[in-house]
Amino acid sequence: ALANANRALSINTYDPAANYYYALVNLKLGNITNAKDGFDIAASGVEYRSASYTELAKIYFLNKEENKENKKPFGVDWKIKFLHGIKL
């Protein structure tokens, strides 16, 4: 999937659909920086704007909570499961 997204982006770097799927794949692989970049560009397309902003919000929320991780007894796993269960 990442190879297909990279191929699409090599043709048109600013294609919202290609960037959205590129970001989803990178998010799944744990490449958070690349995922943020992809969602940022994908938000330029109206059809991907809401979904991209939602995914960016999840990333930033989890990042903020991970920074507090040393102070809390619980892991981040429950937050990830909770956020994937949210239906907006």
Side-chain angles (χ1 to χ4, degrees):
L2 185 58
N4 289 335
N6 283 329
R7 173 94 167 109
L9 290 173
S10 71
I11 296 168
N12 182 1
T13 305
Y14 296 102
D15 179 41
N19 274 287
Y20 183 75
Y21 290 112
Y22 171 81
L24 285 177
V25 171
N26 277 298
L27 184 62
K28 187 70 173 176
L29 294 174
N31 302 327
I32 302 303
T33 303
N34 291 339
K36 287 181 192 177
D37 291 341
F39 288 130
D40 282 339
I41 297 172
S44 67
V46 176
E47 62 274 12
Y48 294 98
R49 187 167 295 152
S50 179
S52 294
Y53 285 152
T54 301
E55 293 299 324
L56 283 169
K58 289 179 189 177
I59 291 170
Y60 286 116
F61 175 77
L62 290 175
N63 187 34
K64 181 180 177 185
E65 294 300 314
E66 285 176 359
N67 290 337
K68 297 178 184 177
E69 197 62 33
N70 294 333
K71 301 176 185 175
K72 295 197 177 214
F74 301 107
V76 178
D77 291 339
W78 71 271
K79 296 177 192 105
I80 293 171
K81 291 176 185 173
F82 171 74
L83 287 174
H84 287 295
I86 291 177
K87 297 196 184 209
L88 299 175

